[in-house]
Amino acid sequence: MAQYLMSVLFDSNDLATDDEMAAIDVFNEQLQADGHWVFAGGLASPDTATVVDGRNGEPVFTDGPYLESKEHVAGFWIVEAPDLDVALRLAAQGSQSCNRRVELRPFLTA
Amino acid sequence: MTDVGEVIARTHRAEWARVVATLARRFGDLDIAEEMAAEAFATAVERWPVDGVPPNPGGWLTTTAHRKAVDRVRREARREEKHREALMLSDTPEPLGAIDDDRLRLVFTCCHPALAMETRVALTLRMVGGLTVPEIAHAFLVQETAMGQRITRAKTKIKAARIPYRVPSREDLPARVTGVLAVLYLIFNEGYLASDPGQEAVRADLTAEAIRLTRLVRALLPADGEVVGLLALMLLTEARRAARVSASGELVTLGEQDRGAWDRELIAEGHALVRARLASGRAPGRYQILAAINAVHTDARDIRDTDWSQIVALYDQLLRLDPSPIVRLNRAIAVAELDGPEVALAEVDRLPLEGYHAFHATRADLLRRLGRSVQSRAAYDRAIALAGNTAETAYLIRRRDQLTGP
């Protein structure tokens, strides 16, 4: 089994609608029932981000996201799957349930 | 010596994919599979001229490659304890997909939808076709290092993202086959009309490789109509190859080709495939319709004998599956023969294909036939500027320079 990050890509700060939230709940329950579930969460908008640079002793705090881009990560799932084909199927279902695009990436395995 | 060399070359063509595929299944690692297959062939080049060709060359290669792979995994296992797991893994058979064939699994792994299209093409030519990295780089006009990196990245992604080495399950199969056929058709087309002026106009090596791989997929999926359709399409196109470029390196259009130079054997095989599909009574897909169009073309002894109404009807059928402007452009070319250049031009002018050389070449020809020389010349100029293929450019320049009057 390997773990995958499914990032939800979105281009506005609008939150999920009630219908979308309901579909996401159904999907989450299915992930748990099928043993794929590790963790998931929605993220507040990029306006709320602070970039912290602690590399040179005194940390520097910068308001705003690291990248100004049209799309940002609005939320994510971490799932467990035996291979990419299974993970792709989960990502497709996730994308459909939250009604947004999903980027799928494997975690580094030791 | 030469004989042994020929046997090795022939064995390479016939057995490479099988050796790589068998090793990939046993070791679950494309890198090991490819490197050990290459080493086994290198050993054959050394040993066979001395020891003679073994009675079962394919089996000899698989055994040799397998032994080398085991040695390597053992070496690495000694170096690092956790590689022992890799040895254990080799005994665990992967779950079988819809069809149990190692080579087919290899094709589907190389053509996985998670890989970029150009990567799928490169990986298929390397792993299944056995072409070397320099050969693939040469075929697609990129630097060897860039092509090597592309293939390495693909293998890394296959490993890290866990792209499974298997034929997709039955419900996924139709969608995945489409991707495989797209890769094979791309390889064929690059061979049939090379896109770069630095290349020979026709790359027989690539068209031959595409046909060979499509034959392989057909042998593995004999019931898939589109696989048959693509094979027929390639054979009927390939049959005209010798007549397609003149001695002076200029493209010869269908109407002007010496039909005596067409390959009768390929045509007969292609026609038989198309007839068999028609007899099946099942609704044809895109490749089958394209094959049928080519069957009509190759049926005519002279361009004037061509059954244009049937070709237009087939394009109508294709438009229902694929209503793209390129299909409409090709349909319009047939309409010009049936209803005249004026009707065709009206259709062509509506198409949003400003950046496509064939659009301008078609317009140029229709305008020439309508006697509108000035506009025709402008269209030829545009087509020449956009065309990449040397033979095609030569043809367009001659046609433009033949224009007379305003």
Side-chain angles (χ1 to χ4, degrees):
Chain A
M1 287 296 236
Q3 293 194 336
Y4 292 86
L5 171 67
M6 302 184 351
S7 309
V8 176
L9 308 181
F10 198 45
D11 58 5
S12 97
N13 292 339
D14 295 347
L15 296 173
T17 64
D18 289 348
D19 283 354
E20 286 162 359
M21 271 323 298
I24 291 168
D25 286 343
V26 170
F27 176 60
N28 287 342
E29 279 162 27
Q30 194 59 51
L31 283 179
Q32 285 163 7
D34 295 342
H36 294 301
W37 172 273
V38 179
F39 188 72
L43 295 174
S45 80
D47 315 341
T48 64
T50 310
V51 173
V52 181
D53 186 350
R55 291 172 300 178
N56 300 311
E58 190 70 16
V60 179
F61 302 96
T62 315
D63 177 38
Y66 158 61
L67 280 176
E68 289 288 349
S69 66
K70 197 164 170 296
E71 278 189 315
H72 57 264
V73 176
F76 62 87
W77 283 276
I78 297 169
V79 296
E80 215 156 47
D83 61 45
L84 187 67
D85 282 357
V86 176
L88 284 172
R89 220 167 295 142
L90 297 177
Q93 289 162 7
S95 164
Q96 195 184 19
S97 71
C98 71
N99 194 27
R100 285 157 178 71
R101 301 198 307 146
V102 166
E103 178 194 297
L104 181 71
R105 272 170 76 180
F107 277 73
L108 282 175
T109 43
Chain B
M1 274 302 272
T2 325
D3 284 352
V4 178
E6 272 170 25
V7 171
I8 292 173
R10 201 169 347 111
T11 311
H12 189 270
R13 274 194 301 277
E15 300 291 342
W16 168 269
R18 201 190 304 270
V19 176
V20 172
T22 310
L23 261 65
R25 175 169 54 77
R26 288 191 194 157
F27 294 90
D29 185 317
L30 293 188
D31 259 330
I32 290 184
E34 187 212 321
E35 283 169 30
M36 297 307 118
E39 275 194 26
F41 276 99
T43 308
V45 171
E46 266 175 42
R47 299 306 316 160
W48 293 5
V50 183
D51 300 348
V53 177
N56 175 359
W60 187 95
L61 286 161
T62 306
T63 309
T64 305
H66 187 251
R67 209 171 286 145
K68 285 173 188 290
V70 169
D71 285 349
R72 174 161 138 180
V73 174
R74 284 221 181 98
R75 254 195 329 273
E76 283 173 358
R78 266 199 294 280
R79 237 190 348 255
E80 215 177 330
E81 198 58 29
K82 82 184 163 200
H83 272 109
R84 237 175 251 292
E85 282 172 39
L87 256 180
M88 306 289 288
L89 262 178
S90 66
D91 289 333
T92 333
E94 283 277 306
L96 299 178
I99 293 129
D100 177 20
D101 186 286
D102 288 345
R103 284 170 303 166
L104 191 60
R105 299 198 221 183
L106 189 58
V107 171
F108 278 102
T109 307
C110 293
C111 298
H112 196 277
L115 300 172
M117 202 60 182
E118 54 185 21
T119 306
R120 290 188 221 173
V121 170
L123 204 59
T124 304
L125 288 174
R126 175 76 202 114
M127 304 301 292
V128 188
L131 269 63
T132 63
V133 171
E135 280 171 338
I136 301 167
H138 177 75
F140 291 92
L141 296 150
V142 295
Q143 295 291 321
E144 265 175 49
T145 46
M147 186 53 81
Q149 278 163 3
R150 189 181 292 171
I151 292 172
T152 305
R153 262 203 309 273
K155 287 196 230 156
T156 308
K157 180 164 185 180
I158 287 172
K159 211 184 286 183
R162 296 201 178 199
I163 290 181
Y165 173 62
R166 71 162 171 241
V167 178
S169 54
R170 201 159 277 288
E171 63 266 28
D172 295 333
L173 201 52
R176 296 283 178 88
V177 173
T178 308
V180 168
L181 298 184
V183 166
L184 299 177
Y185 196 31
L186 213 69
I187 295 170
F188 182 86
N189 277 332
E190 184 56 29
Y192 200 65
L193 193 69
S195 56
D196 191 276
Q199 282 288 317
E200 289 166 64
V202 179
R203 305 284 317 281
D205 53 342
L206 281 185
T207 57
E209 188 57 29
I211 289 172
R212 199 175 69 84
L213 293 174
T214 308
R215 281 192 195 280
L216 176 65
V217 174
R218 185 189 170 225
L220 301 165
L221 294 173
D224 190 302
E226 277 295 84
V227 179
V228 178
L230 181 61
L231 178 60
L233 171 61
M234 286 181 181
L235 294 176
L236 293 171
T237 311
E238 177 77 358
R240 306 197 299 260
R241 182 162 55 81
R244 198 157 151 278
V245 176
S246 73
S248 60
E250 190 182 291
L251 188 82
V252 184
T253 55
L254 192 60
E256 290 166 342
Q257 284 176 13
D258 169 13
R259 294 184 179 222
W262 287 359
D263 187 323
R264 288 287 137 201
E265 220 167 289
L266 291 181
I267 290 176
E269 191 187 353
H271 281 187
L273 291 174
V274 170
R275 273 196 304 274
R277 284 314 303 166
L278 283 176
S280 82
R282 260 172 277 165
R286 169 186 153 76
Y287 296 119
Q288 291 167 75
I289 297 173
L290 285 170
I293 289 168
N294 278 276
V296 176
H297 279 306
T298 44
D299 235 357
R301 272 170 302 135
D302 187 285
I303 186 85
R304 285 182 300 267
D305 297 335
T306 306
D307 187 348
W308 291 106
S309 64
Q310 203 183 345
I311 289 180
V312 172
L314 285 165
Y315 272 119
D316 285 337
Q317 212 178 338
L318 185 57
L319 269 179
R320 283 196 288 276
L321 294 179
D322 174 16
S324 73
I326 293 189
V327 174
R328 287 164 65 197
L329 178 69
N330 289 319
R331 182 185 175 277
I333 294 169
V335 164
E337 304 302 323
L338 199 62
D339 301 325
E342 196 147 19
V343 180
L345 185 63
E347 286 186 22
V348 170
D349 277 341
R350 282 201 296 268
L351 301 175
L353 291 171
E354 185 50 41
Y356 184 45
H357 74 276
F359 167 76
H360 298 284
T362 305
R363 283 194 77 239
D365 183 59
L366 295 172
L367 288 162
R368 177 186 58 76
R369 284 152 79 174
L370 291 166
R372 291 155 65 176
S373 299
V374 176
Q375 287 164 293
S376 175
R377 188 171 289 117
Y380 274 120
D381 285 340
R382 199 75 191 100
I384 291 161
L386 290 168
N389 186 277
T390 41
E392 196 172 17
T393 307
Y395 164 77
L396 291 168
I397 289 173
R398 181 172 62 83
R399 294 299 273 188
R400 180 193 63 190
D401 295 347
Q402 278 174 346
L403 284 171
T404 49

